[in-house]
Amino acid sequence: MAQVESSPGKAEIEPAFVARIAGEVGARPTQVRAACDLFAEGSTVPFVARYRKEATGGLFDEQLEAVAERREYFLELAARRDAILASISEQGKLTEELEARIRAAITKQELEDLYLPYKPKRRTRAQIAREKGLEPLADALLAGAREDARPDELAAAFVSEEKGVASAEEALAGARDILAERLAETAELRAELRATFQSEAVLAVKVLPGKEQEGAVYRDYFAHREPLKDVASHRLLAMLRGEREGFLVSELVVDDDAQATRLATSWGVPLGTPCGREVEAASADGYERLMRPSIANEVRGEARERAENEAIAVFRANLEALLLQAPLGKYSAVGLDPGYRTGCKAAVVDPTGKVVETAVLYALPPKADEAAAAAILERFIRQYGVYAVAIGNGTASRETEAFVRRVVSAAGLSQVVVAIVPETGASVYSASAEARGELPDLDVSLRGAVSIARRLQDPLAELVKIEPKSLGVGQYQHDVDQKALARQLDTAVESVVNRVGVELNTASASLLKRVSGLSERLAKSVVAYRDQHGPFGSRTALLDVPGLGPKTFEQAAGFLRLRDAAYALDRTAVHPERYNVVEAMAERLGMSLEELLGNPEAVARIDFASFTDEASGLGRFTLGDIRQELERPGRDPRPDFVTPAWREDVQSLEDLEVGMVLEGRVSNVANFGAFVDIGIGRDGLVHVSELSHRWIADPRQAVQVGKIVKVKVIEVDRERERINLSIKALEPAPAPVAKPRQAQASRREPQP
């Protein structure tokens, strides 16, 4: 559910943090403050983005998501800051200067760096030395470095059998431990060293001895060195996976001597004196034993987190594109789950997705009875007025497609649409509790055929029933933070569902729970109420559902549609809170709502500015949305339905030849390129360099999941079953750019 109701959700966010967020998202502080206030009240991102534009000044969905996320971050930071201040105060060590620095912290890392010297921890070597009374000796060494004092003479006064200091050297060792810890816990020095690692560290990777054969899949990284800041996210995740699986080992490399020297000089004392050499030794130990491992781990963790976030962003973008694929519409369809030995499972669904009949067709060897299978399929099409046949793109899909085309051609049913659709996740759905609840009387294999038919009718409504991670549109999805991944994928599903809108009287609980404001419990209550009382006649009838109150109704109503509603505005995206405004518009024109809806000429005659009412939040943004909805009521933002034209002579890897031009559907997009389903059961790769003649930073700038593209085969590796494709090879090359005279002259040899 896209609702902001976390435990710190009701807290007031501080002005400094509001200003910070505003800078990050490119908005004014007043816009961010308004959005934060709405989130604190329990409003969702989709609701605020669509129906509270006046309050936020028209912030986009992406901006609002960032505001919601950063709001939570800063609320957590404020709570942690207050706990840290309380802890230091209880220790009696909180000064005005320290409190000011802590209150000025704007990142959790900065906050923890400041707290580190005061943070309760296990007994360290430095703490043990302090307990032995050696802290004054550490201070004496710093002072003595300026006065050319002798360390052993300073240390002699601290030798004490009672305190467990047996010798001057033992006293000096303890003093060095204290200095080392002081250095390692200095916030400014940690920040500087962190910045050095971030900008200069080289990631050095090598194979573990004896793992060359077993870990051959990682051979590109057996002896790999690359600046950490330049490592692409997919490469870093691959290396980390190889390390996790026990084939690779890596480290961050910087100039350790230079860093240790820099830290030693930070004390501001001469290092060439006897005491200065003690300080220098303590600094080297603090760097090597305490600071370097800690900072290196932090920077590695940050790099991994960035790579994971990028991988999650890729998955999210692909998922949104997949869910926004074109629906066939409300037509009867046959779903076919192809198979050889076990036959082709078939299911007929009516325009609402209800199963009306199932069968198993043995159309292919080894148990082929094509005549009987053809008779069943033809009967299905004629008896149920089937408009389309959906074929899963797994094993035997092309052979099944050829069989279906023979049947519709021989029967004179050329108007029937025959489409191969991605069946990813169909088997997961078939065995799920949801499928058992929806289709309790069907065998698991037949449930898959039902899912295939329904995802042709409406991909969004069917795919929301499947765990997003099972849809096969991510990269390294099992290597990233699973909670962060689930959160982003849930947000993506909710964003798409609310963008498209949901038909209240046919939607499943799986779809309804993604609607703004509706929890899973409420979604099930809506379905149960509908089953008991029949279809909803109006949006306001939702208020009769047990547990669904005015606030939830406000958040959800605008995203729910009733295509057969008696009241015209219930069929649109106009929110019930604005019905009176549209009624007034129709009355002013002297026409009914039915006459106004979908009548651009009538809409053009409305003086929208005259309906402005700032007191009720009715301004240009809201009126603009109302205008668009009146012109095109209930518009579906998804594209028109099309299917790729598969080549009949290309059905397997063996049929491919370099130079062939094919049509296919983009099945996945990664940072390094796009995978395209060309109808042979194995996807080909269009590397990012083959997507376009122009330079592309992100493959999604050129293609998205579900897009129909033409590709040229540029390489076929039958041994490794790899296919390399090109899109740019089919596009005209850009005209050469003339070189300026000055640039040519600059390459001449200099004159004596």
Side-chain angles (χ1 to χ4, degrees), residues 35-70:
C36 288
D37 289 345
L38 287 165
F39 294 145
E41 294 168 3
S43 292
T44 69
V45 168
F47 175 77
V48 174
R50 182 69 173 82
Y51 297 111
R52 290 296 179 264
K53 290 180 180 177
E54 308 304 334
T56 68
L59 290 181
F60 299 120
D61 302 56
E62 295 84 357
Q63 291 173 300
L64 289 167
E65 281 185 25
V67 170
E69 184 176 332
R70 294 297 281 164

Side-chain angles (χ1 to χ4, degrees), residues 397-563:
S397 63
R398 295 304 302 279
E399 295 89 338
T400 302
E401 180 199 27
F403 157 71
V404 173
R405 292 194 182 280
R406 288 196 297 272
V407 172
V408 298
S409 176
L413 298 168
S414 57
Q415 77 280 4
V416 174
V417 174
V418 180
I420 294 180
V421 300
E423 63 177 29
T424 311
S427 59
V428 174
Y429 164 75
S430 300
S432 69
E434 178 147 8
R436 291 194 298 273
E438 283 188 333
L439 307 167
D441 300 325
L442 286 189
D443 180 79
V444 170
S445 59
L446 288 169
R447 292 176 193 156
V450 174
S451 181
I452 289 168
R454 288 175 174 173
R455 64 179 60 188
L456 182 67
Q457 291 177 317
D458 189 341
L460 175 60
E462 191 63 18
L463 293 176
V464 294
K465 302 174 185 176
I466 300 167
E467 175 68 30
K469 289 188 290 186
S470 301
L471 293 175
V473 290
Q475 65 175 31
Y476 297 99
Q477 63 202 55
H478 300 295
D479 298 318
V480 303
D481 183 322
Q482 295 301 296
K483 288 184 178 179
L485 175 63
R487 186 167 57 250
Q488 283 294 317
L489 297 187
D490 283 346
T491 301
V493 175
E494 290 158 0
S495 173
V496 171
V497 167
N498 290 288
R499 208 181 315 168
V500 173
V502 171
E503 172 54 43
L504 178 58
N505 280 329
T506 59
S508 65
S510 296
L511 190 57
L512 286 170
K513 74 179 182 182
R514 303 294 190 172
V515 171
S516 167
L518 293 183
S519 63
E520 184 172 5
R521 178 186 61 79
L522 276 176
K524 290 179 178 178
S525 295
V526 170
V527 172
Y529 185 90
R530 188 179 68 199
D531 291 343
Q532 181 180 356
H533 299 279
F536 289 94
S538 67
R539 277 172 168 161
T540 55
L542 272 169
L543 290 167
D544 295 329
V545 175
L548 199 154
K551 182 65 177 180
T552 300
F553 179 80
E554 175 195 62
Q555 299 292 307
F559 303 104
L560 297 169
R561 308 282 187 273
L562 284 163
R563 291 188 177 87

